[in-house]
Amino acid sequence: MLEWFKKWLGLKKDEANLKLGRNDVCWCGSGKKYKKCHLEKDARKRSMQIADTYASSMRGVQKHKA
């Protein structure tokens, strides 16, 4: 019922909440599967973001210890 109501109002699904699967077509428009195109690059980028977040949080912990 909720989906029908959203469609009636002209609302689209929130694309930010959609998860891209390994076998889906890549978001870049190459026509390749995501796993063969950008999966590794995106995973590396996420890993670096996590590492940066961790490092910055550890800097804050060390400031409070002194």
Side-chain angles (χ1 to χ4, degrees):
M1 172 100 174
L2 185 60
E3 292 300 320
W4 173 83
F5 188 65
K6 286 181 181 179
K7 190 174 182 179
W8 183 72
L9 289 174
L11 300 174
K12 295 180 180 177
K13 288 184 179 180
D14 186 10
E15 293 183 10
N17 290 334
L18 296 177
K19 185 175 179 182
L20 188 61
R22 289 172 42 88
N23 289 318
D24 291 339
V25 177
C26 190
W27 55 264
C28 72
S30 66
K32 296 179 183 179
K33 287 186 178 184
Y34 178 62
K35 66 183 177 185
K36 294 287 187 180
C37 192
H38 274 92
L39 177 67
E40 189 175 324
K41 293 174 189 173
D42 290 348
R44 249 187 273 128
K45 185 177 177 181
R46 275 191 302 273
S47 295
M48 291 304 296
Q49 289 170 343
I50 292 169
D52 289 343
T53 303
Y54 177 74
S56 64
S57 68
M58 291 306 292
R59 276 182 251 145
V61 169
Q62 289 179 358
K63 285 182 183 178
H64 293 299
K65 283 185 178 180

